[in-house]
Amino acid sequence: MLDNHFKKEEFKKSVKENVKMLYRKTIEEANQEQIFQAVSLAVKDVIIDNWLLTQKQYEKDDPKIVYYLSMEFLMGRALGNNLINLCAYNEVKEALEELGFDLNVIEDQEPDPALGNGGLGRLAACFLDSLATLGYCAYGCGIRYHYGLFKQKIENGFQVEVPDNWLKDGYPFELRRPEYAKEVKFGGYVKVEYDPATGRNNFVQEGYQSVLAIPYDMPIVGYNNKIVNTLRIWDAQAISEFQLDLFDKGDYRKAVEQENLAKNICDVLYPNDNHYAGKELRLKQQYFFISASIQAAIEKFKKSHSDLHDLPKKVTFQLNDTHPTMTVAELMRILLDEEGMTWEEAWEITTHTCAYTNHTIMAEALEKWPIELFSKLLPRIYQIIEEINRRFIQEINNKYPGNQEKVRKMAIIYDGQVKMAHLAIAGGYSVNGVARLHTEILKKQELKDFYEMYPDKFNNKTNGITQRRFLLHGNPLLADWVTDHIGDGWVTDLAQLSKLKVYADDKKAQQEFMNIKYQNKVRLAKYILEHNGIEVDPRSIFDVQVKRLHEYKRQLMNILHVMYLYNQIKEHPEMDFYPRTFIFGAKAAAGYVRAKLTIKLINAVADVVNNDRSINGKLKVVFIENYRVSNAEMIFAAADVSEQISTASKEASGTGNMKFMLNGAVTIGTMDGANVEIVEEVGQENAFIFGLSSDEVINYENNGGYNPMQYFNNDPDIRNVLMQLINGTYSNGDFELFRDIYDSLLNTKSSDRADTYFILADFKAYAEAQKRVEEAYKDEAGWAKKALLNTACSGKFTSDRTIQQYVDEIWHLDKVTIE
Ligand code: CR6
């Protein structure tokens, strides 16, 4: 498989040459960061050859293209992944060893491109990997944020956000393409001109401000197939740099305004996961990258096709959540205003080209822009949405004559707001959820009226993850073991993992499997010691919850349970207890006060528990600082227990759950999101399921909630733990520090419903499930079998499967092979 380009000697020569050219140094003089740059350039050189080949092939085959439009691409480091997909990892590792360098250390020099928050952005990155690997023509379209998701420091137990200046040393895998720049217009007003020649009105935006969108391309390397697709992220540049004559005309103020507009747009990724903040700059970001992307896509289409009516046959715009919904209106604008089509023609094309993925039912994540803000910033786009809305309401009225309730619930513009989800549904041909349960909830609850009106648009695409990054790269020991047993077909066909099932009862296989887990735990323990100064025992159960911090994900329930266990051990020192290490990793949105307080609570509990010698190290709590893609790979590989404990119905899918499963961790979780399908694949007996069902939760919610007080009053264990939040146990005597958390559960003053996420209702069931985990772990062979079966049954959760379903059922792309 070794590509010609990766002849070891040649590669070494090229690294040396790059060090010389870039830094005027010999390889002995260069530091690790410089070696990283030099190695990356050598790798990029190989990639570019394949990139050109791919381009040629696409020009020849003219396949249908999917544009995956997303505000977020949480790519993680590229060097290791590119080497994996070029099948050159081991060769390069050896070459570097011969030069006196360790590839792992070199990989660690790369900043994590963190242009995303969590699951949604990481999903986009997995999808790009699968699209290239399966040979489909795809472009990722996004924003080149100068600052990605903040870096997290923990100071005195609190989260502190540090800017992520990932571009400061230059990013070797990007390619600036100024020749493809596009102009994007904001503000001004729309002038209507009657054109006697056509008998139509022309709509002309005037008095606007412009920004130049400059694309940067990143290569997306397919696995072992020479295909290299493109992630195109747009950066903003002031147009005045190009139009200096503005100054001459004396329009200095406008020039400065445009300069500022350009400066701000791509500054920073909004750090909210599953939460809509309604900021004007965010709206600018959305239109900025959508306008540039759609303009570029139409221009590209027109280069090799004569009739825009064929667009739906050749192009799909997939909207990753509502953030890119502007696509619907921008495409209409181009077809109407620039291409001179009639409304009916343009609408026919648009509604067969756009498709929408919904990623949440959380009300606070729904994007609703105030008309004021929207129409001022995007006057022409707003006009078009008004017309879409007018016609859509007509359609509703035709279908449900006289039913004002339907109009109120479904209109795109209502109550002074533009509802982006409604626009995405009306303006596209497909609406999909991201796990079976989630899609059913959309159909029966959240989007019920839309489902009734357009049943055929709705479909499910259960999320997936790429095994190339999360097993082959992240867990080389297990990857090799799997290949030794069933061959390497799983790398591109994960269903083959089911061939491992025959080893589930095999003593030798079990031992080897658990020995690999042990070695990965040693690797993580070392990382924890280096980064947290906490010593953990790799023989203890590694019980892990890593994901964004959000109340619905219930990290709070996890830490309350740790407090409960600690009480138990203190009260009954003689009690049989299998040593356990609870590991957390999570970033909280900078403005999410309660989430940040939860981080403090976890660290406060860790402080007390880890320093209590009387419990003989039976319990350890670790909060891993700055959880991100690169350390995630190592964490998944080392987990025994995967915490997937969201309030049922709230987690649309989850994807961390799949990464744990692939790496042989056993799930403790609720019947939520993709957990339902995980249990279906691996069997009830190989997971620990507990808690309220989504139906029960929704039922409570529709009937005014439930009363957590009853649990507080009737259960002394729960009462004890809650009292410890306000009696100074974990706050050096400060009664107030954690009072907000206490209040959130019992609602003594806040206006929200008490215990919105049913923590007290599920607490005892969770504790009981944790007890079952402990018992199961004591049975070594039994646990090994469970762990091994989790890996063996994880085949369904590859993003290759997800992408193939998108292709078969929504996109209908053509497969391409490089000759
Ligand atoms: N926060 C869902 O909450 C899902 C991902 C990807 C999320 C999560 O359950 O796995 O999307 N939703 O589909 C949003 O971001 C809106 C997420 O990552």
Side-chain angles (χ1 to χ4, degrees):
M1 263 189 243
L2 179 60
D3 198 281
N4 282 338
H5 298 276
F6 270 107
K7 291 274 177 345
K8 228 190 315 181
E9 289 313 313
E10 227 175 88
F11 185 78
K12 282 157 66 177
K13 215 172 108 198
S14 142
V15 172
K16 283 183 195 165
E17 197 61 22
N18 291 342
V19 170
K20 185 177 111 189
M21 293 299 287
L22 286 169
Y23 304 108
R24 206 210 61 183
K25 279 188 177 171
T26 66
I27 201 131
E28 292 76 22
E29 295 164 332
N31 64 28
Q32 307 273 9
E33 204 276 325
Q34 292 168 332
I35 299 294
F36 158 72
Q37 295 281 353
V39 169
S40 296
L41 273 193
V43 174
K44 188 174 170 187
D45 193 45
V46 179
I47 290 174
I48 289 198
D49 288 336
N50 290 344
W51 215 351
L52 287 167
L53 276 180
T54 304
Q55 213 45 52
K56 284 261 143 53
Q57 196 66 46
Y58 286 165
E59 275 161 27
K60 187 158 165 248
D61 293 7
D62 188 29
K64 186 172 178 184
I65 306 174
V66 64
Y67 291 91
Y68 199 79
L69 303 165
S70 179
M71 292 282 276
E72 304 190 12
F73 287 93
L74 188 42
M75 298 304 288
R77 290 175 177 156
L79 175 58
N81 199 252
N82 286 338
L83 289 175
I84 288 274
N85 283 7
L86 291 166
C87 295
Y89 193 89
N90 290 331
E91 286 76 5
V92 166
K93 194 170 171 59
E94 277 171 35
L96 287 177
E97 264 157 27
E98 288 167 22
L99 292 172
F101 295 100
D102 176 349
L103 177 54
N104 287 324
V105 178
I106 300 301
E107 282 184 62
D108 273 339
Q109 305 303 310
E110 181 176 348
D112 267 53
L115 310 184
N117 274 288
L120 171 140
R122 184 54 233 176
L123 184 75
C126 284
F127 280 4
L128 294 185
D129 181 87
S130 289
L131 279 160
T133 296
L134 293 174
Y136 294 114
C137 183
Y139 288 79
C141 303
I143 297 173
R144 184 173 181 265
Y145 302 106
H146 302 173
Y147 292 86
L149 183 61
F150 62 84
K151 289 185 185 164
Q152 180 191 56
K153 285 242 173 332
I154 301 297
E155 282 174 17
N156 185 29
F158 288 102
Q159 165 176 302
V160 176
E161 300 92 29
V162 180
D164 165 45
N165 189 0
W166 71 291
L167 292 167
K168 78 171 178 317
D169 299 319
Y171 192 65
F173 290 103
E174 66 175 9
L175 208 65
R176 185 179 145 92
R177 325 282 316 266
E179 67 274 30
Y180 297 113
K182 294 280 168 288
E183 182 184 2
V184 179
K185 299 175 183 173
F186 293 97
Y189 55 90
V190 181
K191 203 167 99 187
V192 187
E193 285 169 348
Y194 179 73
D195 180 352
T198 59
R200 287 175 38 148
N201 283 330
N202 288 334
F203 298 86
V204 189
Q205 195 172 347
E206 291 191 342
Y208 54 84
Q209 294 177 5
S210 289
V211 172
L212 211 56
I214 312 274
Y216 286 69
D217 288 352
M218 300 229 226
I220 306 294
V221 179
Y223 183 81
N224 194 27
N225 64 356
K226 290 196 188 281
I227 288 198
V228 178
N229 280 338
T230 302
L231 167 59
R232 172 161 284 189
I233 50 180
W234 298 90
D235 204 342
Q237 188 173 303
I239 216 148
S240 48
E241 281 173 31
F242 283 68
Q243 296 186 338
L244 279 169
D245 56 329
L246 270 187
F247 287 87
D248 302 336
K249 288 186 198 140
D251 203 347
Y252 180 70
R253 199 178 65 102
K254 186 174 171 193
V256 172
E257 276 172 5
Q258 293 197 145
E259 194 95 26
N260 286 338
L261 184 63
K263 268 206 195 89
N264 296 333
I265 286 184
C266 298
D267 259 358
V268 62
L269 165 78
Y270 278 95
N272 302 315
D273 184 82
N274 243 315
H275 181 86
Y276 159 77
K279 295 278 187 275
E280 181 182 13
L281 181 58
R282 169 85 171 183
L283 191 63
K284 284 183 190 161
Q285 290 183 337
Q286 295 187 348
Y287 185 65
F288 168 74
F289 96 100
I290 289 304
S291 179
S293 301
I294 305 305
Q295 288 182 55
I298 297 299
E299 188 179 288
K300 183 177 168 66
F301 175 85
K302 283 171 70 178
K303 260 194 199 142
S304 46
H305 307 89
S306 52
D307 188 355
L308 264 168
H309 295 89
D310 290 336
L311 192 72
K313 287 190 208 143
K314 286 293 176 184
V315 169
T316 283
F317 295 122
Q318 188 67 35
L319 315 181
N320 196 24
D321 216 293
T322 54
H323 322 146
T325 300
M326 220 72 93
T327 301
V328 172
E330 177 67 0
L331 183 54
M332 286 297 288
R333 182 189 69 77
I334 293 173
L335 298 177
L336 293 168
D337 298 357
E338 290 176 17
E339 301 295 335
M341 286 189 184
T342 65
W343 183 275
E344 287 71 21
E345 280 176 296
W347 187 244
E348 174 73 14
I349 293 170
T350 300
T351 51
H352 288 87
T353 308
C354 298
Y356 159 58
T357 304
N358 174 291
H359 291 269
T360 187
I361 63 159
M362 300 287 292
E364 70 246 45
L366 286 187
E367 292 192 296
K368 296 180 249 175
W369 295 102
I371 287 179
E372 259 269 297
L373 176 72
F374 200 111
S375 55
K376 231 190 197 153
L377 187 68
L378 307 166
R380 178 60 184 143
I381 292 298
Y382 180 71
Q383 237 178 22
I384 290 172
I385 295 176
E386 267 188 326
E387 179 62 12
I388 295 175
N389 183 52
R390 193 184 65 77
R391 292 173 183 243
F392 182 55
I393 288 175
Q394 233 168 42
E395 199 182 327
I396 299 172
N397 282 332
N398 288 344
K399 181 136 189 178
Y400 308 102
N403 191 339
Q404 269 313 108
E405 183 64 5
K406 287 277 181 196
V407 174
R408 184 183 67 77
K409 289 197 293 190
M410 298 172 77
I412 296 164
I413 302 176
Y414 204 86
D415 245 1
Q417 294 171 319
V418 186
K419 301 185 176 179
M420 299 308 266
H422 298 191
L423 177 59
I425 299 169
Y429 66 96
S430 165
V431 178
N432 77 279
V434 290
R436 196 206 301 139
L437 176 69
H438 169 60
T439 301
E440 286 310 308
I441 294 174
L442 289 180
K443 294 199 288 195
K444 290 200 198 104
Q445 293 272 328
E446 308 302 310
L447 302 178
K448 187 163 177 279
D449 297 304
F450 291 93
Y451 178 57
E452 229 178 76
M453 190 147 156
Y454 306 119
D456 298 340
K457 284 192 189 183
F458 283 73
N459 63 93
N460 174 246
K461 295 290 166 282
T462 298
N463 284 165
I465 56 162
T466 168
Q467 66 269 32
R468 267 88 56 191
R469 182 178 288 270
F470 291 105
L471 185 54
L472 192 52
H473 183 260
N475 193 347
L477 296 176
L478 186 57
D480 285 345
W481 183 86
V482 171
T483 297
D484 285 346
H485 286 77
I486 62 169
D488 65 2
W490 60 272
V491 175
T492 50
D493 178 14
L494 199 64
Q496 290 190 25
L497 286 183
S498 69
K499 292 187 208 157
L500 289 171
K501 285 184 193 167
V502 297
Y503 295 103
D505 286 305
D506 180 319
K507 287 282 156 282
K508 181 163 166 280
Q510 288 180 352
Q511 267 168 18
E512 289 167 354
F513 194 90
M514 292 314 289
N515 184 38
I516 289 167
K517 182 60 81 182
Y518 180 76
Q519 291 183 57
N520 286 325
K521 286 162 79 173
V522 170
R523 176 172 71 155
L524 181 59
K526 191 165 159 259
Y527 179 92
I528 289 171
L529 185 60
E530 277 165 20
H531 290 79
N532 293 65
I534 300 173
E535 229 174 289
V536 300
D537 183 352
R539 287 163 309 180
S540 65
I541 303 172
F542 276 20
D543 181 311
V544 188
Q545 186 171 22
V546 286
K547 49 180 81 245
R548 283 300 290 256
L549 212 137
H550 207 298
E551 286 167 279
Y552 83 79
K553 294 176 187 285
R554 299 200 294 194
Q555 282 94 350
L556 178 57
M557 185 165 78
N558 186 344
I559 197 66
L560 292 174
H561 173 255
V562 174
M563 289 159 64
Y564 159 78
L565 284 182
Y566 181 57
N567 291 343
Q568 295 276 301
I569 297 172
K570 295 289 277 185
E571 278 168 36
H572 313 283
E574 73 298 339
M575 182 180 78
D576 195 21
F577 185 85
Y578 201 99
R580 186 103 61 124
T581 303
F582 288 94
I583 298 169
F584 294 82
K587 289 181 184 176
Y592 193 169
V593 175
R594 191 170 291 155
K596 292 173 94 168
L597 190 57
T598 306
I599 291 177
K600 171 63 179 174
L601 177 63
I602 293 167
N603 283 312
V605 173
D607 258 355
V608 171
V609 171
N610 297 344
N611 294 312
D612 183 344
R613 285 162 176 263
S614 78
I615 63 168
N616 293 321
K618 280 179 188 163
L619 206 54
K620 284 276 167 83
V621 180
V622 177
F623 188 93
I624 295 180
E625 190 178 68
N626 202 24
Y627 173 60
R628 60 194 187 281
V629 177
S630 56
N631 60 19
E633 294 179 32
M634 175 179 18
I635 295 168
F636 294 125
D640 292 308
V641 178
S642 158
E643 296 268 357
Q644 306 303 334
I645 59 178
S646 53
T647 312
S649 79
K650 302 296 177 206
E651 189 71 274
S653 162
T655 42
N657 47 4
M658 302 166 184
K659 296 164 195 169
F660 280 108
M661 182 194 196
L662 176 66
N663 282 276
V666 183
T667 303
I668 181 167
T670 49
M671 274 299 192
D672 198 16
N675 296 353
V676 176
E677 290 160 76
I678 285 177
V679 174
E680 188 172 285
E681 293 299 303
V682 77
Q684 285 276 354
E685 66 287 6
N686 298 309
F688 300 90
I689 297 304
F690 69 93
L692 294 174
S693 68
S694 57
D695 282 340
E696 288 169 323
V697 168
I698 291 170
N699 214 0
Y700 274 124
E701 287 176 339
N702 290 343
N703 295 295
Y706 87 116
N707 179 16
M709 252 322 174
Q710 77 194 69
Y711 295 96
F712 183 82
N713 289 332
N714 299 331
D715 189 319
D717 292 329
I718 290 182
R719 193 161 59 240
N720 254 342
V721 166
L722 291 200
M723 290 314 289
Q724 288 172 336
L725 291 172
I726 54 165
N727 70 9
T729 307
Y730 294 102
S731 49
N732 297 315
D734 180 346
F735 295 174
E736 298 310 312
L737 182 59
F738 297 120
R739 187 170 300 270
D740 172 70
I741 290 179
Y742 174 89
D743 284 347
S744 77
L745 294 170
L746 297 173
N747 188 30
T748 47
K749 58 170 186 250
S750 82
S751 58
D752 305 346
R753 242 179 33 228
D755 193 11
T756 320
Y757 295 104
F758 299 87
I759 289 177
L760 301 195
D762 272 349
F763 187 86
K764 270 295 152 98
Y766 177 53
E768 184 270 328
Q770 282 288 24
K771 196 77 206 148
R772 284 190 277 142
V773 168
E774 181 180 350
E775 289 312 313
Y777 198 85
K778 286 186 201 158
D779 167 12
E780 258 180 60
W783 187 272
K785 178 176 178 179
K786 282 187 171 51
L788 201 156
L789 280 174
N790 266 275
T791 299
C793 297
S794 64
K796 172 174 175 183
F797 303 104
T798 171
S799 44
D800 299 341
R801 184 266 315 149
T802 312
I803 285 300
Q804 195 54 52
Q805 289 179 330
Y806 274 92
V807 167
D808 293 340
E809 297 161 23
I810 305 178
W811 299 335
H812 307 291
L813 307 178
D814 315 295
K815 219 176 177 89
V816 175
T817 46
I818 304 286
E819 284 156 11

